[in-house]
Amino acid sequence: RDAVGGPKEASGKENDRRRFEQVRQRLMMRMMSSPNMKRLARNLRFTETEEGLRIDLVDESDFSMFALGTNRLTPDAAQMLREVGDVIQAVPNGVKLRGHTDSFPWSKDKGMNNWRLSAERAEITRQFLTHAGVDQDRFQRIEGVADREPYNDQDKFDPRNRRMSIILGWS
């Protein structure tokens, strides 16, 4: 029956849901264990999607993942990614990374645009997670979507639109 959506399929998704909940709990426990990480915990969002568990690391007016207009991780973002990497390296699910920007345009003379910036940031995140222990064979997709999938579609310039999505896929 599993070929037509029977019990085997349901139990696989339920196993993933349990695993995803454990990932969320472990990550939040780690974030709450240190004063610096505790203040950054609000920048983590967890959402179940068709792709799996999406963990968003979201910019705010007082927190940025990357130095403005660059692919250089801030020290706080590096610390957050280290925590995420430590937790997700222990689960077998495939990983997809998606970089997002806000809609602020870039000057043409600098050779940067939101497409390139979001893709470079996704690649830097992949490198960092690999360094943190996530097996490089688990990465299924790394992409930059610029400002095309805003967190806040009512305000294209909202800092929360700048984020990194780390998706743990369904088994």
Side-chain angles (χ1 to χ4, degrees):
R1 280 189 29 149
D2 63 306
V4 292
K8 204 171 199 179
E9 178 185 313
S11 67
K13 212 165 206 183
E14 286 311 309
N15 286 340
D16 277 340
R17 279 195 177 104
R18 279 192 291 280
R19 185 179 299 135
F20 293 163
E21 180 56 23
Q22 290 171 345
V23 164
R24 189 190 68 72
Q25 287 176 1
R26 275 192 223 127
L27 191 48
M28 290 313 292
M29 272 184 15
R30 292 177 73 129
M31 295 296 291
M32 296 312 220
S33 69
S34 98
N36 188 47
M37 296 313 306
K38 187 183 246 182
R39 88 181 156 77
L40 298 174
R42 66 185 172 86
N43 298 90
L44 281 176
R45 311 281 198 291
F46 301 87
T47 310
E48 183 181 304
T49 71
E50 287 182 15
E51 292 180 284
L53 175 66
R54 189 179 73 221
I55 305 167
D56 285 313
L57 286 72
V58 180
D59 280 13
E60 297 275 353
S61 56
D62 62 345
F63 167 77
S64 292
M65 289 271 307
F66 296 89
L68 187 64
T70 75
N71 63 4
R72 285 191 320 274
L73 281 168
T74 63
D76 283 342
Q79 197 172 357
M80 279 177 72
L81 276 176
R82 201 169 294 112
E83 298 295 338
V84 171
D86 283 350
V87 171
I88 70 170
Q89 62 92 17
V91 299
N93 303 69
V95 179
K96 297 176 186 172
L97 299 175
R98 188 170 294 132
H100 303 266
T101 66
D102 56 28
S103 289
F104 282 105
W106 293 98
S107 64
K108 291 178 177 57
D109 61 321
K110 292 189 178 176
M112 185 55 74
N113 62 57
N114 284 330
W115 289 103
R116 181 173 168 196
L117 188 61
S118 62
E120 286 182 3
R121 288 175 172 182
E123 171 55 15
I124 291 298
T125 300
R126 184 201 63 78
Q127 290 174 20
F128 195 92
L129 289 172
T130 300
H131 184 70
V134 179
D135 186 332
Q136 67 181 7
D137 292 338
R138 289 184 47 208
F139 292 96
Q140 299 174 325
R141 179 175 296 151
I142 287 92
E143 60 189 1
V145 296
D147 59 352
R148 301 305 160 102
E149 297 176 10
Y151 185 87
N152 175 3
D153 57 8
Q154 303 303 307
D155 179 2
K156 303 284 187 184
F157 303 102
D158 186 328
R160 293 174 300 175
N161 292 332
R162 298 188 306 263
R163 65 196 189 283
M164 187 57 55
S165 297
I166 301 166
I167 298 129
L168 296 177
W170 298 107
S171 297

